[in-house]
Amino acid sequence: MQNSLSHLAYLALEYAIVTLALKPGALVTEKQLIEVAEHGRTPVREAIQKLAWQGLIHVRPRVGLQIAEIRPEDHQYVMQVRRELEPIAAALAATHADQQQREQLGECARLMTECAVTGDLPGFFAADKAFDEILEAACPNNFIMAALAPVQTHARRLWYSTGTHDRMGRAIAMHVQAIEAIRGGDTKAAETAMASLIDYLSRA
């Protein structure tokens, strides 16, 4: 897990985009993003570069920075990528995760379970982001994760934007099931649980 200032700035801005504190389509300034991230100019600029690469911020010449809009077709395309790649990533992580990563997965599962009880959707999204980063670190196939990382964030934002969170409990339970399979090193179970999760989220 990365702990650099630029990564912390990225996490803060990514969270603000996912939870719509930075609204889709909004024009923003670097100064505004510095205030949101609560980090200095250099870390925020590096975070902006990553968010632009992920398609969450658009750098508009002579206009400035724009938070990516949400298009009607985004959900279909995002889930199509996740359905193909995330079960493979889960299976690989189940095999290759080290002990520290397995412990971190356990903590993610614990936090998600708490969020299911309290109905804390933003808290769940923060735990889900941590899960994504552990998965990225544990999966040895960098090409898979380079494709997955942006769409995982887009998927959270799309879910948050729907305003229909009545299926949160079931979704969290399925996340925890996938996490525990990865944590336990069960390759087949991890792949199957992740595929089931993505199929469920595709219908959300």
Side-chain angles (χ1 to χ4, degrees), residues 178-197:
I179 288 171
E180 291 298 349
I182 296 169
R183 185 182 177 209
D186 190 331
T187 302
K188 187 60 179 177
E191 184 175 2
T192 301
M194 186 62 78
S196 297
L197 170 61

Side-chain angles (χ1 to χ4, degrees), residues 58-99:
H58 299 305
V59 180
R60 305 292 190 194
R62 298 182 295 279
V63 175
L65 304 170
Q66 183 180 31
I67 306 303
E69 296 183 2
I70 294 176
R71 302 170 301 175
E73 66 271 22
D74 284 349
H75 180 74
Q76 173 189 348
Y77 294 156
V78 161
M79 300 313 292
Q80 185 178 50
V81 175
R82 292 188 70 188
R83 182 61 180 81
E84 293 298 321
L85 297 182
E86 210 150 347
I88 300 172
L92 288 169
T95 300
H96 294 279
D98 61 29
Q99 184 57 39

Side-chain angles (χ1 to χ4, degrees), residues 77-147:
Y77 294 156
V78 161
M79 300 313 292
Q80 185 178 50
V81 175
R82 292 188 70 188
R83 182 61 180 81
E84 293 298 321
L85 297 182
E86 210 150 347
I88 300 172
L92 288 169
T95 300
H96 294 279
D98 61 29
Q99 184 57 39
Q100 182 181 18
Q101 289 162 344
R102 295 182 198 277
E103 291 172 1
Q104 291 169 340
L105 286 169
E107 177 65 9
C108 283
R110 185 188 68 79
L111 290 172
M112 287 183 182
T113 301
E114 286 184 0
C115 290
V117 173
T118 60
D120 181 5
L121 187 61
F124 163 64
F125 282 167
D128 191 40
K129 178 63 178 178
F131 171 40
D132 290 346
E133 295 200 326
I134 298 166
L135 187 66
E136 181 177 1
C139 178
N141 190 324
N142 295 332
F143 296 101
I144 288 177
M145 297 315 304

